[in-house]
Amino acid sequence: MLERHWLALALAAAFVGAPAAAEPLVESAATTAPVSAGAGWHALGDPVLSGLIERGLAANHNAAQALARLERARSLEQGAHAQSAPGGSVRLEATGSKQGSLRRSGVELDWELDLFGRLRTRTGAATQRVVASAAELEGVRLAIGAGIAHTWFEVLGAREQLALARSVADNRASMLKLVQSRARHGLAAPIDEARASAELEAAQADLPVREAALQVATHRFAVLLGESPAGFAVPAEAAARAIPVQLAIPAAATWLARRPDIRQHEAQLRSSEMDVEAVRSEFYPRITIGGLLGFIGGSAAAVASSGSLSWMAGPTLLAPLFDRPRIEARLAGAKAGKQEALAAYRQRILLAVEEVENAVARHAAGQRQLQSLERRAHHASNAQRLARTRFEAGAADMLELLDAQRTAQQATAALSEALTAQRQGVVAVLKAVAAGA
């Protein structure tokens, strides 16, 4: 279903206006060139949003934490690599007994011959943990970008809803003035003025709710950008009309390989496999070549004399004798960890496929809903205009006009909400196929 599947993704940077919707808000993408899924968040066609995402990625604290985890994994990997190299230390020793005292100083060297792969597999496991941490960082950055884009469209939607609510309140105020003027000339009953006043109060009561929704979305947006919500101002949108985007969903093998969470779980699985091999290698002997070059004497002066120079070198073999039960327990634990990583990897693949399927299905359904809501808003706008004309001509009463206005208001608000949901649906599709990674 997903292979070579084309989505006509229509975005609008703003939808602010009166309740009437004479022109469609979502354009056809038939004449729009397709945008590669690898184009990232730039595929949304909003330079302001692209700049905000870059700004958020540089300042977000979740990204800073993931980066710190990556640096820690790299340090551990460097330590694992160092275990395979020769080691040494400077030795200063002073001992005493009934026979006298002994002073010893020198340089000790040791080097484990990794004949059975213990150090090699440990280093490989550390390397895979670095790969997993790097993929985790990429996944965090993808989630941050998607969160910023999602909240950006939420802010735009809240702006649109507030603008619509203010427009409705202005229309209700104009209607009240008209009714009051007609009432002074005996063309309207007192009940009509009361109804118009009630409609105005209802419209004004909706304004604080819309203002609070915009403030909440703005505060969330500030946190995603790594800034304090206090006094934060969201930049104005870059465009004022719909921006059609066409995105080709690649084959499942392509986007699965591109998703950071899949690569993270794959690296964790490989790391757990190497952990098993590293523990298994502990059943075999360890051979170490060691040496000492230094000075030995009964006093500090004797140690300093050239006659006390001594050296020794030779191999050391260590074979587990009584440690076998402990090694077997660690091996069983490592195998269980491998099975856990394998199950998590398989589950992540299923969840990834589900996420893409859901995003595609929601967008397709949302497109159909948006088209229906466009037609509804168009018809409701025409009905409102006709009702107002009939009311001013005395052919319709106040109830008919108020009902037509209320229907047009609801249709326009529903269209705005659906458009915001579709914008966010586009973000969900891009995130699901890791186009923003």
Side-chain angles (χ1 to χ4, degrees), residues 6 40 69 103 112 176 184 194 202 217 236 267 275 298 306 328 355-356 360 366 368 372-373 390 400 419 423 433:
W6 290 85
R69 288 191 292 270
R103 304 290 187 270
E112 180 178 347
L176 177 59
R184 285 193 297 268
D275 286 337
S306 59
E328 289 177 346
E355 182 180 357
V356 174
V360 171
R368 295 192 298 270
S372 297
L373 290 176
R390 284 169 51 82
E400 180 179 329
L419 181 57
R423 295 166 174 167
V433 299

Side-chain angles (χ1 to χ4, degrees), residues 190-411:
I191 191 174
D192 292 335
E193 183 176 353
R195 286 169 177 166
S197 299
E199 290 293 330
L200 174 59
E201 293 298 331
Q204 291 178 340
D206 190 44
L207 291 177
V209 178
R210 300 300 179 183
E211 291 171 351
L214 177 57
Q215 291 176 352
V216 170
T218 301
H219 296 163
R220 177 58 184 161
F221 196 66
V223 172
L224 288 172
L225 295 181
E227 300 186 18
S228 172
F232 177 80
V234 180
E237 58 271 22
R241 61 189 304 272
I243 304 174
V245 178
Q246 199 174 65
L247 173 67
I249 303 299
T254 301
W255 61 257
L256 279 173
R258 190 166 55 206
R259 281 183 61 117
D261 56 343
I262 298 296
R263 288 186 280 112
Q264 177 185 355
H265 280 75
E266 183 179 359
Q268 290 173 344
L269 176 58
R270 291 175 178 172
S271 175
S272 64
E273 291 174 344
M274 293 183 178
D275 286 337
V276 172
E277 295 303 319
V279 175
R280 183 177 285 116
S281 66
E282 295 181 9
F283 286 110
Y284 301 100
R286 294 167 58 182
I287 300 177
T288 303
I289 296 178
L292 172 65
L293 176 64
F295 298 90
I296 302 176
S299 64
V303 171
S305 67
S306 59
S308 64
L309 178 64
S310 65
W311 64 273
M312 65 177 183
T316 301
L317 186 145
L318 297 175
L321 182 59
F322 301 108
D323 288 342
R324 189 175 184 86
R326 286 190 288 270
I327 297 175
E328 289 177 346
R330 290 200 302 271
L331 180 60
K335 288 181 177 179
K338 174 184 174 181
Q339 293 301 318
E340 178 186 4
L342 177 60
Y345 175 65
R346 291 172 174 171
Q347 179 69 8
R348 179 51 53 185
I349 292 178
L350 294 177
L351 292 175
V353 175
E354 178 190 20
E355 182 180 357
V356 174
E357 291 283 359
N358 289 344
V360 171
R362 289 192 182 103
H363 178 268
Q367 280 293 93
R368 295 192 298 270
Q369 180 193 36
L370 199 58
Q371 293 169 0
S372 297
L373 290 176
E374 283 180 345
R375 293 190 292 268
R376 175 195 176 191
H378 177 72
H379 295 317
S381 176
N382 290 337
Q384 176 187 355
R385 186 179 65 255
L386 293 175
R388 188 181 185 93
T389 301
R390 284 169 51 82
F391 175 76
E392 293 175 351
D397 58 10
M398 185 69 180
L399 283 178
E400 180 179 329
L401 176 58
L402 290 177
D403 182 66
Q405 289 180 335
R406 193 180 302 111
T407 301
Q409 171 193 353
Q410 293 172 351

Side-chain angles (χ1 to χ4, degrees), residues 43-54:
L44 296 174
D46 191 336
V48 173
L49 175 58
S50 298
L52 289 171
I53 290 177
E54 293 298 326

Side-chain angles (χ1 to χ4, degrees), residues 9-36:
L9 306 181
L11 299 178
F15 172 62
V16 181
E23 296 181 0
L25 298 178
V26 179
E27 301 177 0
S28 171
T31 60
T32 305
V35 177
S36 170

